[in-house]
Amino acid sequence: AYKVSREYIFLGLKEYQAKVDAILKDISGKFNRFTLRLIIMELLTNAYKHGNENDEELPIKLIVSESAT
């Protein structure tokens, strides 16, 4: 079994769609890419609007972990 974790930092939502696409390319496995993209974009949007109150100076940390047996 192994676990791989990657950490991504976003400042605001500028060009975040392209960054999300790059993250999805790093994820292995048989996942529905559309669903994962939607989930990640919703998480980032909520973190930016509600957690950071639209402040582009505050970072949003996204940690993606994969595990396999």
Side-chain angles (χ1 to χ4, degrees):
Y2 71 90
K3 182 176 182 178
V4 176
S5 293
R6 294 177 190 89
E7 183 176 306
Y8 304 90
I9 304 294
F10 292 80
L11 293 174
L13 297 180
K14 292 180 182 173
E15 301 177 11
Y16 81 115
Q17 293 179 1
K19 292 177 185 177
V20 170
D21 289 339
I23 291 168
L24 290 175
K25 288 180 183 177
D26 287 342
I27 297 174
S28 61
K30 297 179 180 180
F31 299 103
N32 182 314
R33 299 255 187 239
F34 175 80
T35 302
L36 283 178
R37 187 175 198 279
L38 182 64
I39 291 168
I40 293 171
M41 291 178 70
E42 184 69 16
L43 288 169
L44 292 171
T45 301
N46 285 340
Y48 176 71
K49 288 183 178 180
H50 304 293
N52 290 3
E53 297 177 344
N54 299 320
D55 186 343
E56 292 186 0
E57 298 294 319
L58 296 175
I60 300 168
K61 183 189 298 187
L62 174 66
I63 299 173
V64 178
S65 296
E66 294 180 77
S67 60
T69 54

